[in-house]
Amino acid sequence: MGFLDGLLGNAAKIDPAKIQQEFAPILAPGESVQHAYQLIRDYFVFTDKRFVLVDKQGLTGSKVEYHSIPYKSITHFSVETAGTFDLDAELKIWISGTEAPIQKQFNKKLSIYEVQAVLASYVLR
């Protein structure tokens, strides 16, 4: 998987070392990137301390929002797989203190099970 997969709507696995360098300004001392996925321009980053949703905004993507979620704040999450006529899979994450979940949609070709397994490995510690 690579850049072309990201453009086509598939989640592309990214080398954690590459993201470690890019995220250096926002990482806590000693924090390390463990897993990273790219969906078009957005990222899903799993560090050893938190889950970071990266939303690149605007035409150039120069405006970036980093949504940091400590794993202990995730109360529950769900995965809805794509169906026959519904081509998108969906990940929903509920955070303590909020009613509405964070929702992200993925192309049917994405192994949403892999993303869910990584999320579960951190949340269920």
Side-chain angles (χ1 to χ4, degrees):
M1 287 188 169
F3 179 72
L4 185 57
D5 288 324
L7 287 177
L8 295 174
N10 301 329
K13 204 169 193 176
I14 304 171
D15 179 17
K18 176 187 171 203
I19 296 298
Q20 181 80 28
Q21 288 180 329
E22 185 179 329
F23 276 38
I26 67 159
L27 295 175
E31 183 176 14
S32 65
V33 173
Q34 305 289 306
H35 301 274
Y37 301 89
Q38 182 175 10
L39 184 62
I40 305 178
R41 295 190 310 175
D42 297 341
Y43 295 129
F44 300 91
V45 179
F46 296 89
T47 77
D48 55 340
K49 302 189 184 309
R50 60 186 159 152
F51 178 51
V52 183
L53 295 169
V54 181
D55 181 13
K56 294 195 174 188
Q57 303 169 7
L59 291 174
T60 63
S62 59
K63 182 177 179 181
V64 181
E65 177 183 20
Y66 298 93
H67 191 120
S68 295
I69 305 167
Y71 295 118
K72 67 181 180 182
S73 297
I74 298 173
T75 59
H76 66 284
F77 55 93
S78 71
V79 171
E80 181 179 305
T81 60
T84 304
F85 298 107
D86 180 14
L87 300 178
D88 294 324
E90 189 171 61
L91 172 67
K92 294 180 186 176
I93 301 172
W94 283 265
I95 301 168
S96 60
T98 62
E99 285 187 37
I102 294 173
Q103 298 182 32
K104 294 292 181 178
Q105 291 194 340
F106 299 89
N107 183 284
K108 187 176 182 177
K109 294 180 183 178
L110 162 67
S111 174
I112 195 149
Y113 296 110
E114 180 181 345
V115 176
Q116 184 275 156
V118 171
L119 181 60
S121 73
Y122 290 104
V123 173
L124 302 176
R125 286 185 180 181

